[in-house]
Amino acid sequence: MTNLHAPMGQTKLQNYNSTRGAESYKADYRNKLHRRWSDKRERALLHRYFARVGKVDSILDLPCGHGRLADLLHSHCKRLTEADWSFTMVSLNQRDHDVTGRHYVRASALEIPFPDRSHDLVLSFRLSHHLETQELRERHLRELFRVADQHVIVTWFSATSLKNMLRQLRVRLAGKKPKNVLRNDRVRAIAAECGFTQVEAKPLFLIGSGHMLALFTRRGDA
Ligand SMILES: C[S@@+](CC[C@H](N)C(=O)[O-])C[C@H]1O[C@@H](n2cnc3c(N)ncnc32)[C@H](O)[C@@H]1O
């Protein structure tokens, strides 16, 4: 596997790949208030989306990180695949969680090593905004829609969010680095090209976060 498979900022990637970085990401969700809030909101939205989707046979969680959402996801399927580019994240995840009905794999979300339509539901949380070019963010989406047989649940940083608009001002006025965003209508267009329809898309928070969290389902004719 090369950096082409995981072209996020090198420092960030090295951090996720190190034991210290992976443990610290995990600890943040215990210790930091804003992480605990967003975790709670993400779980609430996931419960809402699973109430629509029902229980499925297989879920691919890529990137899984340390398995923050693994138990919730496993309660909605028979077989859960936990995959991440970082060996350290996958090992930490496996160490902390059960193995029954779960597989652990090192994989790139930009070239997913599974056949078309091989998992009922594919989920990708908190990766898109780390991918540094529009081309990579779109490639990532297309890979999710390729591997998903029925549903995709995905997060991205919205170009039209208040948080991004404020950032754009600071880009112009203070030379800040732009966010790695996607337009919501572009995400819907890519989904449609791949045979999927957006069922629901909710902002994580209206203020203070630009993340969108959406459920897509394959069209009957696709
Ligand atoms: C912010 S964490 C999110 C983890 C998990 N989805 C969550 O929400 O807790 C980003 C994860 O993406 C992984 N990652 C970065 N680039 C990747 C790639 N191209 N393919 C797969 N995983 C990648 C990192 O190792 C890290 O575990």
Side-chain angles (χ1 to χ4, degrees):
M1 186 139 351
T2 69
N3 290 339
L4 274 180
H5 293 95
M8 95 195 302
Q10 275 310 293
T11 337
K12 264 190 202 153
L13 197 54
Q14 278 161 8
N15 187 43
Y16 284 129
N17 214 17
S18 70
T19 307
R20 189 155 167 261
E23 291 279 7
S24 130
Y25 184 70
K26 182 179 160 191
D28 279 357
Y29 276 93
R30 277 195 313 266
N31 304 331
K32 294 193 174 162
L33 197 57
H34 73 284
R35 290 284 194 200
R36 293 219 302 266
W37 277 342
S38 58
D39 179 69
K40 197 171 165 196
R41 168 77 173 151
E42 284 174 0
R43 284 169 193 273
L45 287 174
L46 275 177
H47 282 303
R48 177 187 171 109
Y49 293 172
F50 274 110
R52 283 176 169 269
V53 163
K55 194 159 179 168
V56 295
D57 273 348
S58 53
I59 295 180
L60 171 64
D61 175 20
L62 171 58
C64 60
H66 61 85
R68 178 170 67 90
L69 301 169
D71 290 338
L72 185 160
L73 297 176
H74 197 230
S75 70
H76 290 284
C77 69
K78 293 188 192 139
R79 280 173 292 115
L80 173 65
T81 302
E82 290 284 278
D84 199 285
W85 183 87
S86 158
F87 271 131
T88 317
M89 286 289 193
V90 177
S91 318
L92 192 62
N93 188 344
Q94 184 163 8
R95 186 198 72 190
D96 288 354
H97 295 94
D98 198 359
V99 285
T100 317
R102 303 187 199 204
H103 304 280
Y104 295 89
V105 183
R106 186 189 190 202
S108 165
L110 297 169
E111 215 170 317
I112 303 179
F114 291 114
D116 298 1
R117 302 183 72 159
S118 54
H119 292 74
D120 291 336
L121 187 150
V122 178
L123 178 126
S124 174
F125 263 46
R126 295 184 169 272
L127 175 60
S128 172
H129 68 293
H130 286 303
L131 301 173
E132 307 232 326
T133 65
Q134 175 85 16
E135 190 270 325
L136 290 172
R137 295 191 283 279
E138 293 195 5
R139 191 202 298 184
H140 168 233
L141 282 177
R142 288 180 200 282
E143 275 294 270
L144 305 177
F145 291 124
R146 179 184 69 75
V147 174
D149 187 42
Q150 297 166 25
H151 311 284
V152 167
I153 301 180
V154 60
T155 67
W156 69 91
F157 205 100
S158 168
T160 49
S161 61
L162 178 62
K163 183 144 183 182
N164 188 50
M165 289 181 195
L166 293 174
R167 170 59 73 105
Q168 280 177 315
L169 271 182
R170 293 165 73 207
V171 171
R172 266 186 239 125
L173 301 177
K176 286 283 284 184
K177 191 173 175 281
K179 291 269 186 199
N180 297 322
V181 297
L182 283 169
R183 289 189 58 87
N184 301 347
D185 55 0
R186 183 67 190 141
V187 177
R188 284 197 299 275
I190 292 172
E193 277 171 34
C194 299
F196 282 75
T197 307
Q198 183 176 292
V199 179
E200 277 203 66
K202 297 277 177 202
L204 192 56
F205 298 107
L206 284 173
I207 296 175
S209 166
H211 290 284
M212 293 295 293
L213 204 161
L215 165 67
F216 295 87
T217 293
R218 194 179 280 279
R219 289 193 313 267
D221 60 342

